[in-house]
Amino acid sequence: MAQLSDDCFAFGGPLKSVDETVALLTSRLQAVEETETVSLGSADGRVLAEDVMAPLALPPFTNSAVDGYAVSGANLPQTGERAYPLAGRLEAGMAPGSPVPEGRVVRIFTGAAMPEGTDTVFMQEDVRLDETGRAILPPGLKQGANVRPAGEDIIAGKTVLRAGHCMRPQDVALAAAMGLSELTVRRRIRVAVFSTGNEIVAPGRQRSPTQLFDSNRFMLIAMLGRLGCHVTDLGILRDDPDAIAESLLTAAAAHDMILTSGGVSTGEADYVKKSVEQVGSLVFWRVAIKPGRPVAMGVIRGAAFIGLPGNPVASFVTFAHIARPAILALAGAQLPPQLPISVRAAFSYRKKKGRREYVRASLRRAEDGSFEAVKFPREGAGLLSSLVETDGLVELDEERTGIEAGQTVSFIAYSNLI
Ligand code: AMP
Ligand code: MG
């Protein structure tokens, strides 16, 4: 399990910016050290534990990029066609055989190794055969055309993937192309998830008229799954400080992180903070983020604790911007860039200076072909439809006091966030 010190999140000050919060979290959280070997087939989404060096150049041998005719490019026709007798035929995978004499061509297919004496390939579409079977090559082709030199993609010994990189399908392809069948990755981090609140009931159970079905837990479990975490669903905790404390303690023994939603505001029935304090240490951060604000951080017996706000949109936004970087740090993964895109706002909006605000928005194509962001018409932090019916978040930084329609804003698609 992660072994954090109780005061690792200690920080003085009433309100923290998102950047400060993330910087503090990612610097204090130590990545899990245990590694394991996985086969390539199960490497997608895993975090590399060590750099990967290319054991092999790619391509490993110089080969033809097209179906055609291979020839020495030294004395190619500059004006007028020239006829070349055929000296052989090479399909992909065949050994190239004896060197090709000057003035001869070899019928060659895509991926076949270039035979000695050739360095240029004419595409078959550009070549005719005369009645004696000679290839008629047109003028004007450059020496080296249509050939993929050995190592043009990757040279042997190069570091191609870095420790901390989270494997994507294209990275898996690269490892496979270099002949690697296994990779050393960090073990998945173990995260326990709870919902809290007497008004919360699991979908499928009997709901009283004053209860809500639990949505946060399923959203958080899904987002943790996408981050490659091993998730334990620990259900819903009643608003009872002793019961919460006991459950937290049990969860801490077998997990690297505990993630809860609800019960971290300043209301009298917000017991999660008190419970964390009973069994561990707590730093309550009012993060300058909207939707969001209250986020509790703590350590319980060496395990990290993050308490997200209960409103589903606040839970979603604080997960994406605060919990996610923390989870990646624990997992030993580099934080990928968020890649916001600049779009025109199709709305005006007032905000408070000094806090970062995220506006739920959809993208649509304007008449001039560029994209503009259309704000979801309502703002409540409990509106799940606002997340479902939009494409991403417009990020308005701390300095801004608002935007006018037509101004350029940063838009982050949900697919880049979670
Ligand atoms: P809290 O942070 O506990 O004060 O909750 C804030 C709001 O979010 C309340 O309206 C709760 O009913 C709602 N809420 C809390 N937890 C969940 C949950 N797991 N699923 C859906 N709504 C929730
Ligand atoms: Mg509550």
Side-chain angles (χ1 to χ4, degrees):
M1 293 304 104
Q3 282 303 319
L4 305 172
S5 70
D6 280 358
D7 60 354
C8 77
F9 299 125
F11 172 85
L15 204 72
K16 289 167 61 60
S17 73
V18 178
D19 288 344
E20 277 177 321
T21 308
V22 170
L24 196 71
L25 276 172
T26 51
S27 64
R28 306 278 167 94
L29 284 168
Q30 277 165 19
V32 292
E33 281 175 4
E34 300 95 311
T35 62
E36 60 198 34
T37 304
V38 290
S39 66
L40 276 195
S42 27
D44 184 39
R46 302 303 303 268
V47 178
L48 286 177
E50 47 196 41
D51 290 352
V52 175
M53 300 231 278
L56 184 71
L58 286 183
F61 55 92
T62 301
N63 66 91
S64 177
V66 295
D67 292 341
Y69 295 83
V71 65
S72 161
N75 297 301
L76 288 176
Q78 293 308 311
T79 55
E81 299 176 336
R82 195 185 300 167
Y84 286 74
L86 254 72
R89 178 186 163 90
L90 279 175
E91 290 178 16
M94 286 180 168
S98 50
V100 179
E102 177 70 33
R104 297 261 184 141
V105 293
V106 166
R107 180 73 169 118
I108 197 163
F109 296 91
T110 307
M114 292 291 287
E116 205 181 308
T118 69
D119 58 6
T120 306
V121 180
F122 281 75
M123 287 170 70
Q124 62 187 20
E125 293 87 333
D126 298 334
V127 176
R128 287 181 290 116
L129 297 182
D130 69 10
E131 57 290 349
T132 64
R134 292 181 307 170
I136 314 294
L137 305 188
L141 193 68
K142 283 215 189 80
Q143 185 170 23
N146 299 318
V147 168
R148 302 187 281 216
E152 77 162 352
D153 188 2
I154 284 162
I155 53 169
K158 184 183 168 193
T159 300
V160 285
L161 297 168
R162 298 268 172 200
H165 183 73
C166 189
M167 292 293 288
R168 304 164 300 170
Q170 58 267 49
D171 306 317
V172 177
L174 177 60
M178 297 183 308
L180 302 173
S181 58
E182 293 180 330
L183 292 169
T184 308
V185 298
R186 300 223 188 212
R187 74 157 167 84
R188 292 182 191 278
I189 62 165
R190 300 179 191 113
V191 183
V193 180
F194 292 106
S195 289
T196 68
N198 291 345
E199 81 282 29
I200 306 299
V201 60
R205 291 283 175 88
Q206 191 64 38
R207 184 187 67 86
S208 80
T210 55
Q211 285 187 309
L212 291 178
F213 286 122
D214 184 358
S215 57
N216 289 347
R217 187 158 44 99
F218 298 94
M219 173 176 75
L220 296 175
I221 289 172
M223 294 198 286
L224 288 164
R226 289 184 178 206
L227 292 179
C229 301
H230 187 92
V231 185
T232 315
D233 178 354
L234 292 176
I236 303 165
L237 297 175
R238 313 270 308 154
D239 285 323
D240 167 353
D242 294 332
I244 297 175
E246 200 185 309
S247 300
L248 291 173
L249 205 54
T250 311
H255 296 89
D256 302 298
M257 178 182 274
I258 302 170
L259 187 66
T260 65
S261 70
V264 290
S265 304
T266 43
E268 277 172 25
D270 290 323
Y271 295 117
V272 174
K273 289 185 299 175
K274 280 182 218 149
S275 310
V276 176
E277 270 162 349
Q278 270 184 45
V279 289
S281 69
L282 182 97
V283 191
F284 177 54
W285 287 347
R286 301 182 75 82
V287 181
I289 183 173
K290 186 186 172 189
R293 241 194 339 261
V295 178
M297 294 291 318
V299 178
I300 302 167
R301 302 274 168 95
F305 167 82
I306 298 186
L308 300 178
N311 275 309
V313 180
S315 230
F316 180 90
V317 170
T318 50
F319 180 91
H321 292 285
I322 295 164
R324 180 172 180 260
I327 289 158
L328 292 175
L330 256 187
Q334 292 155 2
L335 190 57
Q338 256 173 7
L339 306 175
I341 54 167
S342 292
V343 297
R344 214 165 43 231
F347 59 93
S348 59
Y349 183 81
R350 300 265 71 79
K351 76 176 270 293
K352 230 190 194 166
K353 198 176 161 115
R355 86 178 164 204
R356 189 172 304 174
E357 298 199 12
Y358 291 98
V359 179
R360 288 146 270 170
S362 302
L363 287 188
R364 77 170 171 214
R365 226 183 247 288
E367 271 174 18
D368 64 359
S370 63
F371 281 112
E372 55 185 24
V374 182
K375 179 179 165 300
F376 189 78
R378 285 164 299 134
E379 277 165 39
L383 303 174
L384 271 173
S385 60
S386 68
L387 292 175
V388 171
E389 292 171 21
T390 53
D391 302 316
L393 302 174
V394 167
E395 182 174 67
L396 301 174
D397 65 28
E398 289 78 356
E399 290 311 304
R400 287 202 195 238
T401 54
I403 49 164
E404 300 303 331
Q407 286 184 333
T408 301
V409 289
S410 284
F411 174 86
I412 311 167
Y414 293 136
S415 51
N416 283 339
L417 261 186
I418 54 169

